[in-house]
């Protein structure tokens, strides 16, 4: 184990924190009607009514007519519903689910839970945009709006009516909240491109990472891990609730992590200088669509680590590992594959759970470290991929690197990237990897240009702030 991996000991380390009840998935979904009790980092008794913990405050505004957009910004000064308050024991898990104040408690608890997870991966406290501004982050759980967004000093959520006619507030949708926190993490860690440094792939990356923040954070609920193993029989190759992100009902979801999107299909997508997406194909695609190949490649890599963990633990039969199979043989053996997994789960459940947690933490940690190392200016998926592979190598994942490379290349994401100064060699994946690392070393050795340009910040926020206006 490497020094990087040792830092993971800090993850899930909020023993003694304050209890909240959270819905890991939308409560209207079959099987998810009961919340799970989690602990968040502030000790019991330190969270004031709101909830308000000194950094974040929920303000449950009454009839807030519109979402914030510059120059309309926090703090909210209108009438508000009564704040959620801790019980005599300092915890917030006593609030009935049908009490209005549960909405505020759920929103705060979700945001703080996600922050705790990613501060664990990052090994440090996250600076929300710029702490020198002394912002208190405002969380607004109910805006008349069918969307959710994060901006400078706030996260606010509306809601949406699903196909079966039920109104679902996004403040109860952990996926949506975690996605918005994901955007704020990226603004803090990767930064905002300066003038002329913004690329379409930076915006696609934002959406992809925010989806993965949601997906990996969801995997920190014990009930989710149990349900996932049960529902899939331990076979994560099948479509499951985990890889459907932002799910609103059992039949409609906002995006699918386990997708087959390819960069070639998105090659015509353009971003104008003022942030408008142009899709010559007429499909109206934009950053969320550009995110799909990257999300897919990383999700496939998570499954790779998971599957590797199962094999390493010796709990699948020798011929039960589909990695390396041809597409035809996988298709022909789907039923047998499922039976083998289910048989092994019944005998070795704990090992399946361990493998899943291991895969979750390798990916989460690699993403967090990658954000810290990357520059927002002239961002490319290729540059991200090289950094990701480099970190995985540092973490001792050499045995899976060729498969990771294939996952990215299968989506048309070249590890060379458009910023490379020469073409990658048309050789084996192992050789291509060594070449890519050499390129990366050279790039890191070069001096970095200054990246901070306050004038462009509001503009980039504006391009991100339409996160859930996606057709379902
Ligand atoms: Zn988004």
């Amino acid at each position: 184990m490497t020094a990087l991996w040792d830092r993971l000991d800090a993850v899930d380390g909020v023993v003694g924190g304050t209890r909240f009840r959270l819905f890991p998935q939308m409560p209207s979904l079959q099987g998810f009607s009961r919340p799970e009790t989690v602990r968040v980092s502030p000790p019991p008794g330190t969270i004031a009514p709101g909830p308000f913990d000194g950094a974040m405050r929920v303000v449950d505004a009454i009839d807030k007519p519109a979402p914030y957009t510059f120059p309309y910004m926090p703090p909210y000064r209108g009438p508000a519903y009564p704040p959620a308050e801790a019980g005599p024991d300092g915890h917030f898990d006593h609030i009935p689910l049908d009490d209005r104040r549960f909405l505020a408690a759920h929103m705060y608890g979700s945001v703080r839970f996600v922050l705790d997870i990613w501060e664990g991966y990052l090994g440090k406290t996250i600076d929300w945009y710029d702490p020198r501004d002394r912002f208190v982050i405002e969380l607004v759980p109910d805006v008349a709006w069918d969307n959710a967004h994060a901006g400078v000093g706030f996260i606010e959520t509306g809601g949406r009516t699903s196909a079966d006619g039920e109104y679902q507030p996004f403040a109860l949708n952990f996926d949506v909240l975690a996605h918005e926190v994901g955007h704020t993490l990226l603004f803090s860690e990767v930064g905002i491109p300066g003038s002329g440094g913004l690329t379409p792939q930076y915006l696609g990356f934002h959406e992809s990472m925010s989806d993965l923040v949601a997906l990996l954070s969801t995997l920190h609920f014990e009930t989710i891990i149990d349900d996932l193993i049960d529902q899939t029989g331990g076979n994560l190759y099948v479509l499951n609730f985990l890889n459907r992100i932002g799910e609103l009902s059992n039949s409609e979801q906002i995006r699918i992590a386990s997708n087959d999107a390819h960069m070639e299909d998105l090659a015509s997508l353009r971003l104008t200088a003022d942030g408008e997406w142009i899709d010559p194909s007429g499909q109206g695609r934009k950053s969320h669509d550009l995110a799909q190949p990257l999300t897919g490649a990383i999700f496939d890599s998570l499954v790779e680590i998971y599957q590797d963990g199962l094999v390493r633990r010796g709990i699948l039969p020798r011929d039960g590992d589909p990695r390396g199979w041809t597409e035809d043989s996988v298709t022909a053996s789907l039923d047998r594959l499922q039976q083998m997994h289910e048989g092994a789960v019944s005998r070795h459940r704990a090992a399946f759970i361990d493998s899943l947690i291991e895969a979750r933490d390798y990916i989460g940690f690699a993403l967090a470290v990658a954000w810290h190392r990357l520059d927002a200016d002239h961002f490319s998926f290729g540059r991200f991929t090289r950094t990701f592979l480099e970190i995985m190598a540092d973490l001792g994942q050499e045995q899976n690197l060729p498969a990771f490379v294939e996952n990215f290349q299968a989506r048309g994401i070249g590890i060379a990237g458009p910023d490379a100064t020469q073409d990658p060699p048309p050789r084996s994946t192992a050789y291509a990897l060594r070449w890519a690392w050499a390129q990366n070393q050279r790039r890191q050795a070069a001096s970095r240009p200054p990246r901070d340009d306050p004038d462009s910040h509001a503009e980039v926020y504006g391009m991100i702030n339409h996160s859930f206006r996606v057709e379902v």
Side-chain angles (χ1 to χ4, degrees), residues 191-213:
I192 298 174
S195 299
L198 176 68
T199 61
Q201 291 192 5
Y202 172 83
L203 296 176
F205 168 75
H206 244 271
E207 296 305 335
S208 170
M209 295 299 114
S210 298
D211 277 350
L212 288 163
V213 164

Side-chain angles (χ1 to χ4, degrees), residues 179-180 183 206-207 210 255 288 464 466-468:
H179 178 101
E180 292 308 324
H183 281 304
H206 244 271
E207 296 305 335
S210 298
R255 293 178 289 282
H288 300 83
I464 297 285
H466 43 75
S467 318
F468 287 92

